[in-house]
Amino acid sequence: MNNHAHGHHHGHEDAHGHDHGHSHDHHGHGGLLSGWWPKLSHAVVPHSHDSRAKIDPALESSRDGLRALWISLVGLGITALAQAVIVVMSGSVALLGDTLHNVADALTAVPLGIAFLLGRRAATRAYTYGYGRAEDLAGIIIVLVIAGSAVAAAWTALDRLLHPADVTHLPWVAAAGLVGFVGNEAVAQYRIRVGKRIGSAALVADGLHARTDGYTSLAVLAAAGGAALGWHWADPLVGLAIAVAITFVLKDAAREVYRRLMDAVDPDLVDQAETALWAVNGVQDVAAVRLRWIGHRLHAEADLVVDAGLSLIAAHEIAADAEHQLTHAVPRLTTATVHTDPDSHPGGHHHTDLSHQRRHVGHQPAGQPQTHHT
């Protein structure tokens, strides 16, 4: 006997496959609401028959990510606006460059925001795991922007070394640099905190990017101080130091995005999953556990060994219990696929042998007795 249980959830379905674990008011008679509104909401909200216990936290994490993006976008916009006013007053080319840099970096929220919206869409026949990996694509864009920032900072510093320029209205320039640092650091801390809480590597990378912009603004502050002392070399020298600092941040952000693209997870999460599975009553062995990130959500696959004498229903109950325990034991894990094997068939060739046996039975000549395998 071979028992399988795949993709378990805790709703109840009728004979037509409709989930009654929670209600879907998609087909009611609500006037205009039964026309354009369901279509519009379906475009951005998952229409899934998974349990509400799984979907709601996933949606909430997307909402938190979007909220972090828009709040930080407003924060960086206000910072850039304040700097722009001082640019007009002082005529500082260095501050103008930093202001434009902050504007461009604020716009990195756009691809990540699009990725969060895409991630809220339901899976399709083509994208069977959904659109969560769009966050990884946004992470690549952010890493490229950070790399561009490092190149731009280094290029500007070298150009200033070759072509020295006086800085005027130094107190205002220094104040603008301080405003830029405070604004970017506040945004960085907020993005990194939310990104770690919801498990979004792209949002963490964007927070690290904002932090590098704060350092760039400090370079403006240091340049103003050096100019006040008559050190014309201070501005480009600090600029080169900032370019090096951005390179280190680039390395960390690129490594995080790379790990997500390669389906790497924290080994502690695997340990937590195995511990939860071993605690399930009826599990004799945990043959394999696989975890992967889909955006900022985790998906698990597990192979369990159970008693060969169990009925199909009993094996299904063990698999369903295991799936339930996984979603509670592993943070940000929203879906799991659990497979059960009987303990009388150890080894990796069990499924291949069963497939050959079933095909052999089905193709025996007519009139000959058929052999049944259990």
Side-chain angles (χ1 to χ4, degrees):
M1 177 183 67
N2 188 24
N3 297 318
H4 301 272
H6 296 286
H8 302 284
H9 62 86
H10 306 292
H12 302 285
E13 295 185 357
D14 60 21
H16 301 288
H18 298 299
D19 195 332
H20 299 291
H22 54 85
S23 62
H24 293 285
D25 190 15
H26 287 244
H27 308 292
H29 301 286
L32 292 176
L33 292 179
S34 63
W36 61 270
W37 175 248
K39 296 179 180 179
L40 178 62
S41 62
H42 182 81
V44 295
V45 178
H47 180 86
S48 172
H49 293 291
D50 270 336
S51 66
R52 183 174 295 273
K54 297 175 186 175
I55 294 299
D56 283 357
L59 279 177
E60 187 60 34
S61 63
S62 293
R63 294 189 185 102
D64 289 345
L66 285 170
R67 186 182 304 112
L69 288 174
W70 304 142
I71 291 177
S72 59
L73 178 61
V74 171
L76 287 177
I78 294 175
T79 299
L81 180 61
Q83 288 184 315
V85 172
I86 300 177
V87 166
V88 174
M89 296 174 56
S90 66
S92 171
V93 176
L95 184 56
L96 174 61
D98 186 51
T99 303
L100 294 176
H101 189 196
N102 283 329
V103 171
D105 296 337
L107 295 179
T108 60
V110 175
L112 193 50
I114 294 174
F116 275 117
L117 287 175
L118 284 175
R120 297 171 65 178
R121 298 188 63 181
T124 65
R125 298 282 291 180
Y127 297 91
T128 55
Y129 280 98
Y131 296 82
R133 298 299 290 269
E135 288 185 36
D136 298 330
L137 296 179
I140 294 175
I141 296 175
I142 292 170
V143 167
L144 292 176
V145 172
I146 297 176
S149 300
V151 173
W155 182 273
T156 303
L158 291 174
D159 181 70
R160 183 58 58 87
L161 279 173
L162 296 175
H163 306 91
D166 293 331
V167 180
T168 60
H169 297 84
L170 296 180
W172 288 104
V173 173
L178 185 60
V179 168
F181 171 75
V182 172
N184 278 287
E185 180 61 23
V187 167
Q189 291 186 15
Y190 182 51
R191 284 180 175 176
I192 292 172
R193 182 173 67 252
V194 175
K196 288 182 177 180
R197 178 163 56 83
I198 69 175
S200 174
L203 188 56
V204 172
D206 209 22
L208 294 173
H209 184 199
R211 177 159 289 166
T212 65
D213 299 337
Y215 296 152
T216 304
S217 297
L218 277 184
V220 175
L221 179 62
L229 297 174
W231 299 344
H232 297 288
W233 47 265
D235 181 22
L237 186 62
V238 173
L240 285 176
I242 294 302
V244 174
I246 294 175
T247 302
F248 280 105
V249 175
L250 170 65
K251 176 181 66 69
D252 293 338
R255 180 178 57 193
E256 186 67 22
V257 173
Y258 166 79
R259 286 175 54 83
R260 286 297 176 89
L261 291 173
M262 294 297 294
D263 283 334
V265 298
D266 186 348
D268 290 340
L269 295 177
V270 181
D271 293 339
Q272 293 178 30
E274 289 181 341
T275 300
L277 292 172
W278 274 109
V280 174
N281 187 28
V283 172
Q284 297 185 357
D285 190 18
V286 179
V289 175
R290 292 170 294 276
L291 299 175
R292 71 184 305 185
W293 287 100
I294 304 176
H296 53 276
R297 309 166 194 169
L298 275 172
H299 171 72
E301 297 177 3
D303 296 334
L304 306 179
V305 177
V306 299
D307 186 355
L310 293 176
S311 67
L312 178 63
I313 294 179
H316 173 85
E317 290 177 349
I318 292 176
D321 186 19
E323 182 266 351
H324 181 76
Q325 296 304 319
L326 277 176
T327 57
H328 284 279
V330 181
R332 293 185 291 274
L333 192 150
T334 57
T335 59
T337 302
V338 178
H339 171 84
T340 57
D341 269 331
D343 59 358
S344 61
H345 293 282
H349 300 289
H350 170 51
H351 299 106
T352 302
D353 294 340
L354 282 180
S355 178
H356 286 315
Q357 291 170 5
R358 291 176 60 85
R359 290 178 181 274
H360 176 70
V361 169
H363 287 84
Q364 285 183 345
Q368 293 188 6
Q370 295 190 356
T371 303
H372 298 278
H373 301 270
T374 58

